Amino acid sequence: METAYWILAGLLAVFYLYAGGKKTAQSKERLAPMMGWVDTVPMPAVRAVGAVEILGAAGLLLPPLTGVAPVLALVAALGFLVLQVLATALHLSRGEARVTGLNIALIALAAVTAWLATTW
């Protein structure tokens, strides 16, 4: 179970570090081709989502690694679950049901990671 947690948490952390880094560092024009929703969301909110993703990635890895407040790994996984449910709702409200596949996969990964965080 512990190995499965580290594999999934590592995958999620890499994904969210990449995605969060792009959201915090790139301009709206550079993000728009990959993330069409950035035209309708204020840039401070996009930057905030990116910061949350980076902090969540750290929350998946650092607490279990250091042994300090390991419950934060569960909180981070649940936070990603909520984030992706909201992202799916945003895509559906924009009529972008065809692009929700990644969101659904991330929901499943976050849910399994949260479950694994409670098992050891």
Side-chain angles (χ1 to χ4, degrees), residues 18-19 21 28 36 49 53-54 57 59 69 88 90 115:
Y18 176 76
K28 184 180 277 195
V49 169
E53 289 175 343
I54 292 168
T88 303
L90 175 69
W115 174 73

Side-chain angles (χ1 to χ4, degrees), residues 10-107:
L11 289 172
L12 283 174
V14 167
F15 176 82
Y16 283 112
L17 281 173
Y18 176 76
K22 290 184 93 49
K23 290 177 187 111
T24 58
Q26 291 188 341
S27 67
K28 184 180 277 195
E29 293 75 29
R30 297 266 325 248
L31 291 172
M34 297 171 283
M35 303 171 200
W37 57 271
V38 298
D39 334 354
T40 58
V41 177
M43 268 321 272
V46 174
R47 302 267 188 245
V49 169
V52 165
E53 289 175 343
I54 292 168
L55 291 172
L60 285 176
L61 301 178
L62 294 178
L65 277 175
T66 62
V68 177
V71 72
L72 291 178
L74 173 62
V75 172
L78 292 174
F80 284 140
L81 182 73
V82 170
L83 178 75
Q84 287 306 315
V85 167
L86 294 173
T88 303
L90 175 69
H91 285 302
L92 293 175
S93 73
R94 292 173 43 97
E96 301 171 341
R98 66 188 180 344
V99 299
T100 59
L102 178 61
N103 300 106
I104 292 167
L106 289 169
I107 287 169

